């Protein structure tokens, strides 16, 4: 890219137009040595094993969160068929995307992940846009998940149904996430491990309870029962719109890549974390959705309920079990939000380390006591808190024209589109690099699909392009307007403030000695310094 | 849909399972191959 200042070389001994990857290809096998090859010191605590890396992505995908919050959206759009056919259809393409991203994570194992891959393969401009889209998607995801958690928690705690209650509970949830993420990756990793088991056991309990005690529809109900409340659209279009339920659920698995600098044997374990989090979520998600849908007694009444998922439980198993499920899901959402803050903070840290954000030097700070990107953790939490506040503010200004109930679900759409575009850019640039001969087999990391790599990448890119269009056209036009406006603002910001100034990945040190000096500051663990 | 739903659904499920295992197997072979070619154990050290 021409906008890279000549006096500042990019991390990984960068060359123009993506040759960086070839040059930066690690020749040594240890995690720290590989990070050094990209010009970064080991500042974060590398303590996560393979299961923890898998668990963080699995917790963010959080089948209990995604399925429950958007079950009604899917059911109203496409009926039972959206669960029986829509979920596996989306799973098929997301498996391809996760495998393609896994390959990139294995080849370039840095916390910046998507942003860093785009910057190395396409230059600073591509990296900048990927970073901001990824950040937008992640912050919207935290807001969507934790505000959703607050919406469930307020009635459970018998608090008044008022914006101040929701915002207060939302703030407390975010505060717990920020504190836990501040004090250490070990604590968060243990909670994520527990969360992964919790999700699997939670789904097993739901499935077994419904299998033994609930009345069941025939299996054909899942595959043949078409239903939609979108009477002005043909069924096939309504079905496609309903795919948002599955596609929103399958977001955030880039967390395994964002925590790659904290994972041992990162080049193998992080790609498996990305891929397996999707595959395992696919299996458990399908089992849950199938059994819940087969327990529907009255489809019209269920679709009209305020939360069809909970309604099915109350109808099939009684109010007490419905309440137990509600608490189970609320806790799952809390775990999901916790992991999402971890992932977002690593993204902010990595982007700031390369001077990509305003006040970068602040957000790139790593706590010497806890070895976590503490400032980035708080920034992620504050930004997530501000999003619903902003929406409340906009609605308060124009109460007749706008409705919070309609505006807020657009957040899930924005998060999905922004995240998937940020997944798509590095994949597109990798394909371009392969076609130009910049990326060859020898550039691949150990986790590679070999000669399947390109076909799988093409399928992934095509699906991302398809859903990007699908989720911004009517009936998701509100998402389209907000996302379009945000994108226009980003383009303006890039040309006004970032072009020519943002250099892309910048090495923290140029010699091993300097690198060791930076690392020594953290390894000595200066007490009392945060 | 009423007529072909079962066939489409079950075929799709079979395809998803097959693709999931095939991609995982391909990646696992890639890791093995890399280890053989580079004599690397993924525990942060190199053979000989």
């Amino acid at each position: 890219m021409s906008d890279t200042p000549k006096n500042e070389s990019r991390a990984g001994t960068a060359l123009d137009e993506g040759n960086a990857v070839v040059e930066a290809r690690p020749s040594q096998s240890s995690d720290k040595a590989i990070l050094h090859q990209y010009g970064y010191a080991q500042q974060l605590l590398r303590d996560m094993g393979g299961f923890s890396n898998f668990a963080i992505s699995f917790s963010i995908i959080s089948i209990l969160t995604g399925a429950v919050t958007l079950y009604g959206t899917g059911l109203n759009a496409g009926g039972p068929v959206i669960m029986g056919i829509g979920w596996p259809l989306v799973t098929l393409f997301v498996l391809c995307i996760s495998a393609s991203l896994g390959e990139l994570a294995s080849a370039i194992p840095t916390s910046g992940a998507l942003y860093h891959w785009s910057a190395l393969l396409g230059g600073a401009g591509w990296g900048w846009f990927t970073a901001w889209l990824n950040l937008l998607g992640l912050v919207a995801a935290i807001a969507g998940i934790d505000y959703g958690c607050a919406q469930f928690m307020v009635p459970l705690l018998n608090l008044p149904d008022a914006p101040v209650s929701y915002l207060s509970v939302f703030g407390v949830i975010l505060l717990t996430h920020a504190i836990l993420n501040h004090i250490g990756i070990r604590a968060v990793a243990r909670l994520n491990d527990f969360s992964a088991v919790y999700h699997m056991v939670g789904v097993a309990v739901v499935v077994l309870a419904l299998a033994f005690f609930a009345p069941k529809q025939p299996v054909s109900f899942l595959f043949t029962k078409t239903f939609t409340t979108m009477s002005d659209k043909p069924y096939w279009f309504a079905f496609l719109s309903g795919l948002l339920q599955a596609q929103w659920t399958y977001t955030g698995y880039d967390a395994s890549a964002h925590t790659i600098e904290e994972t041992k044997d990162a080049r193998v374990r992080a790609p498996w974390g990305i891929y397996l989090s999707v595959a395992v979520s696919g299996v458990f998600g399908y089992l849950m959705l199938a059994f819940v849908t087969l327990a529907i007694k009255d489809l019209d009444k269920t679709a009209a309920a305020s939360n069809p998922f909970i309604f099915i439980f109350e109808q099939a198993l009684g109010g007490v079990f419905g309440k137990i499920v509600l608490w189970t899901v609320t806790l799952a959402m809390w775990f999901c939000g916790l992991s999402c803050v971890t992932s977002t903070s690593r993204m902010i840290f990595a982007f700031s380390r390369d001077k990509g954000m305003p006040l970068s030097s602040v957000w790139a700070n790593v706590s010497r006591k806890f070895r976590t990107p503490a400032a980035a953790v708080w920034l992620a939490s504050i930004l997530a808190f501000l999003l619903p506040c902003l929406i409340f503010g906009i609605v308060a200004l124009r109460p007749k024209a706008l409705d919070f109930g309609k505006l807020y679900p657009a957040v899930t759409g924005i998060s999905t589109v922004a995240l998937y575009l940020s997944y798509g850019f590095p994949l597109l640039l990798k394909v371009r690099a392969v076609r130009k001969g910049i990326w060859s087999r020898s550039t691949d990391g150990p986790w590679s699909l070999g000669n399947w790599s390109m076909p799988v990448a093409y399928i992934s890119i095509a699906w991302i392009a398809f859903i990007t269009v699908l989720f911004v056209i009517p009936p998701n036009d509100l998402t389209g307007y907000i996302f379009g406006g945000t994108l226009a603002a980003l383009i303006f910001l890039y040309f006004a403030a970032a072009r020519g100034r943002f250099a892309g990945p910048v090495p923290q040190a140029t010699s091993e000695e300097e690198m060791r000096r930076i690392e020594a500051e953290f390894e000595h663990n200066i007490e009392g310094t945060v | 849909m009423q007529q072909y739903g079962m066939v489409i659904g079950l075929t799709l499920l079979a395809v998803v399972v097959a693709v999931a295992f095939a991609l995982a197997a391909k990646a696992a072979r890639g890791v093995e191959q890399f280890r053989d070619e580079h004599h690397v154990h993924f525990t942060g050290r190199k053979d000989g």
Side-chain angles (χ1 to χ4, degrees), chain A residues 88 224 226 265 275 446 449 451, chain B residues 1-2 20 23 26 30-31 42-43:
Chain A
T224 59
T226 54
D265 300 337
Y275 185 74
L449 298 175
N451 56 356
Chain B
M1 198 68 212
Q2 304 287 338
L23 288 173
K26 188 77 177 165
V31 173
F42 292 106
T43 49

Side-chain angles (χ1 to χ4, degrees), chain A residues 116-310:
Chain A
H116 197 189
W117 307 336
S118 282
L120 289 182
L121 290 164
W126 281 100
W128 192 88
F129 278 103
T130 305
W132 281 104
L133 285 171
N134 193 216
L135 192 55
L136 171 69
L138 286 169
V139 170
I142 301 175
I145 294 156
D146 280 357
Y147 193 81
C149 186
Q151 282 180 313
F152 275 69
M153 217 174 244
V154 164
L156 284 170
L157 297 172
N158 292 320
L159 294 170
D161 181 16
V164 69
S165 305
Y166 293 109
L167 284 178
S168 304
V169 173
F170 175 54
V172 171
I173 292 166
L174 275 171
L175 190 67
T176 58
H177 290 162
I179 291 169
L180 282 165
N181 272 288
H182 183 136
I183 63 171
I185 190 66
R186 274 189 186 143
V188 172
R190 299 296 165 269
L191 283 167
N192 281 328
D193 292 353
F194 176 74
S195 167
V197 176
Y198 175 84
H199 274 81
M200 291 177 200
V201 172
V203 170
V205 169
V206 164
V207 166
L208 288 173
L210 290 172
F212 284 106
F213 302 114
K216 284 176 283 297
Q217 298 276 359
V219 175
S220 61
F221 185 71
L222 270 179
F223 302 117
T224 59
K225 184 66 185 172
T226 54
F227 170 89
T228 184
T229 52
M230 294 163 64
S231 51
D232 57 332
K233 303 274 189 309
Y235 178 75
W236 64 267
F237 186 79
F239 172 85
L240 291 177
S241 292
L243 296 181
L244 179 64
Q245 179 202 355
Q247 202 67 59
W248 153 250
T249 307
Y250 283 124
T251 50
Y253 46 90
D254 50 320
S256 292
H258 290 307
T259 50
I260 207 163
E261 288 178 27
E262 291 152 278
T263 304
K264 292 181 264 187
D265 300 337
R267 282 190 300 168
V268 173
R269 285 176 170 172
W272 277 126
I274 296 171
Y275 185 74
L276 289 178
S277 61
V278 170
V280 176
S281 296
V283 173
F284 278 85
Y286 192 71
L287 280 174
M288 184 179 72
L289 291 175
F291 275 89
V292 169
T293 306
L294 290 176
I296 290 174
K297 279 184 175 174
D298 184 323
L299 189 52
D300 291 309
K301 278 186 186 169
T302 305
S306 62
N307 188 323
F309 192 91
I310 303 298

